């Protein structure tokens, strides 16, 4: 994926032709360099082989010369001393010379001139060894005088000089061939070095071009990353602004909702309560008038008063749901205690309320927020937790109030706060954030159940009883007037007040 701030920028699907050409040239240069290195290695290997062959040939020639010389010297010692020990070199020469010449023939198989010289050397050596054998037989049959007579002819020295000369000639030719091969290898190596220098120069040029392309690509990518980062920063700013606006709107809606609930609760209590009281008084008056003359109508009016009483109870429940009267008149501690008792009776769960009296020092907004959080938490326990025991704990913690609602149910999923339909949890969090507090929902101890932990800072205590939002007056406790205290008709048809 390509990113760019240029509106005319279009991503490409393949490399430009010049980049492809540079890649091909680089590959060709590397291939040529590899071929050159292989050729250089082959030449070096051939030169080393020639050097080793020349060394072996020289060593064999010197060894042949040494065998003949030692045999001649040993024979002379035998003539002078008569000891068989001096004949050892001669026997060694007779035994090993054929093998040495065979080895030299295999080493010089690709050099006809050297083979010719080797044949001459072999002839001279064989003749010299043969003469040594004849001299030995003469000595054994004639004695030392015959040997001295033979030595005076100086043929032995001539034969030895010819052998040494032939060895020197062959060694010189071998050295000349080695020198010629070394010169050829040097010329080849020099050509290879010049080719390598040219390849290195071309490689440097290609590397420079590649560096230029890489630098340009890096610059473009850096520009694209900067543009993308700027775009991301702008998007994050917009998202943060929108999120803050939505959060403010949510908190405002919560505040407006509480104000509206308080207003509706006051209107229901004041206006509807007055109307219901008046209706009850009228029904009581008419019932008193008709109980003697028209007992059946009086009984019907008693049933109407009983229905009116049920309507009054319904009104009270609606008012309590909209705005708990205990919260406004008795404080947060009493409201939580009462609500937990009602919750336990309605759900048949063991609900334990541990509320400190310092909770009554909470401000109006703090009190209603903590009460609503506890209310929503207990509703979630009743709906989803499958718990048997619930603990509501409210205590002073630092500069604020800490509320904890824990159960022993199945536990909350880890992603519950991120689910799109978790409106209750989100509402609790927004209530805490509205007051600058925090809310944390997690699994309970050892992963059992769910634990809701809320903390809100303490507000300025209200001057009087905790009233409604925005300084509205507190709701009085709803009481029935004496005329409203009706019962169902008795068995005798009379209605008892």
């Amino acid at each position: 994926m390509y990113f760019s701030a240029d509106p005319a920028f279009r991503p490409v699907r393949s490399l430009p032709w010049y980049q492809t050409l540079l890649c091909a040239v680089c590959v060709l240069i590397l291939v040529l360099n590899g071929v050159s290195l292989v050729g250089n290695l082959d030449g070096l290997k051939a030169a080393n082989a020639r050097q080793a062959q020349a060394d072996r040939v020289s060593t064999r020639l010197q060894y042949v010369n040494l065998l003949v010389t030692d045999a001649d010297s040993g024979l002379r010692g035998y003539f002078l001393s008569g000891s068989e020990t001096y004949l050892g070199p001669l026997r060694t020469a007779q035994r090993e010379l054929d093998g040495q010449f065979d080895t030299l023939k295999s080493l010089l198989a690709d050099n006809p001139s050297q083979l010719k010289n080797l044949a001459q050397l072999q002839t001279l050596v064989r003749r010299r060894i043969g003469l040594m054998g004849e001299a030995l037989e003469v000595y054994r049959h004639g004695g030392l005088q015959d040997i001295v007579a033979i030595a005076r002819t100086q043929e032995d020295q001539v034969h030895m000089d010819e052998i040494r000369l032939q060895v020197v000639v062959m060694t010189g030719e071998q050295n000349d061939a080695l020198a010629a091969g070394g010169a050829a290898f040097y010329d080849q190596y020099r050509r290879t070095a010049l080719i390598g220098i040219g390849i290195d120069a071309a490689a440097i040029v290609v590397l420079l071009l590649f560096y230029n392309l890489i630098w340009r690509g890096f610059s473009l990518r850096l520009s694209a990353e900067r543009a993308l980062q700027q775009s991301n920063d702008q998007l994050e700013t917009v998202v943060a602004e929108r999120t803050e606006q939505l959060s403010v709107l949510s908190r405002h809606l919560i505040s407006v909702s509480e104000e509206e609930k308080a207003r509706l609760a006051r209107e229901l209590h004041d206006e509807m309560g007055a109307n219901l009281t008046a209706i009850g008084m009228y029904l009581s008056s008419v019932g008193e008038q008709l109980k003697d003359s028209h007992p059946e109508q009086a009984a019907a009016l008693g049933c109407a008063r009983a229905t009116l009483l049920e309507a009054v109870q319904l009104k009270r429940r609606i008012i309590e749901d909209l705005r708990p009267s205990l919260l406004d008149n008795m404080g947060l501690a009493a409201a939580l205690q009462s609500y937990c008792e009602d919750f336990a009776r309605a759900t048949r769960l063991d609900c334990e309320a541990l509320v400190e009296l310092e909770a009554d020092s909470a401000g109006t907004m703090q009190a209603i927020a903590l009460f609503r959080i506890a209310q929503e938490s207990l509703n979630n326990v009743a709906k989803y937790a499958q718990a048997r025991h619930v603990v509501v704990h409210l205590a002073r913690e630092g500069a604020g109030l800490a509320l904890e609602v824990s159960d022993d149910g199945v536990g909350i999923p880890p992603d519950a706060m991120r689910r799109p339909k978790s409106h209750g949890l989100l509402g609790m969090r927004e209530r805490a954030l509205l007051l600058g507090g925090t809310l944390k929902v997690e699994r309970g101890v050892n992963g059992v159940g769910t634990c809701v932990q809320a903390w809100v800072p303490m507000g300025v205590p209200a001057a009087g009883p905790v009233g409604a939002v925005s300084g509205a007056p507190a709701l009085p406790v709803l009481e029935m007037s004496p005329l409203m205290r009706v019962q169902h008709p008795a068995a005798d048809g009379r209605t008892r007040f």
Side-chain angles (χ1 to χ4, degrees), residues 74-87 139 144:
L75 185 60
R76 294 178 184 274
Y78 174 72
F79 290 156
L80 294 177
S81 62
S83 176
E84 292 289 336
T85 305
Y86 289 96
L87 295 179
Y139 176 78
L144 185 58

Side-chain angles (χ1 to χ4, degrees), residues 424-486:
L425 297 177
L426 295 176
M428 290 192 294
R429 185 183 65 181
E430 290 300 326
R431 288 182 183 274
L433 293 177
L434 176 63
L435 301 175
T438 59
L439 182 100
K440 182 169 63 174
V441 182
E442 59 186 7
R443 286 187 174 270
V445 180
N446 297 326
V448 178
T450 305
C451 181
V452 178
Q453 297 176 345
W455 181 89
V456 295
M458 292 288 290
V460 179
V466 181
V469 180
S470 302
L475 293 177
V477 178
L478 184 63
E479 294 290 343
M480 296 288 294
S481 67
L483 296 178
M484 295 286 292
R485 298 191 185 103
V486 296

Side-chain angles (χ1 to χ4, degrees), residues 10 103 112 136-137 156 177 180 183 190 201 247 350 385 399 432 434 483:
R10 293 182 180 180
T103 302
L136 181 60
E137 291 297 327
D156 294 342
R190 182 175 60 182
S247 181
D350 184 11
L434 176 63
L483 296 178

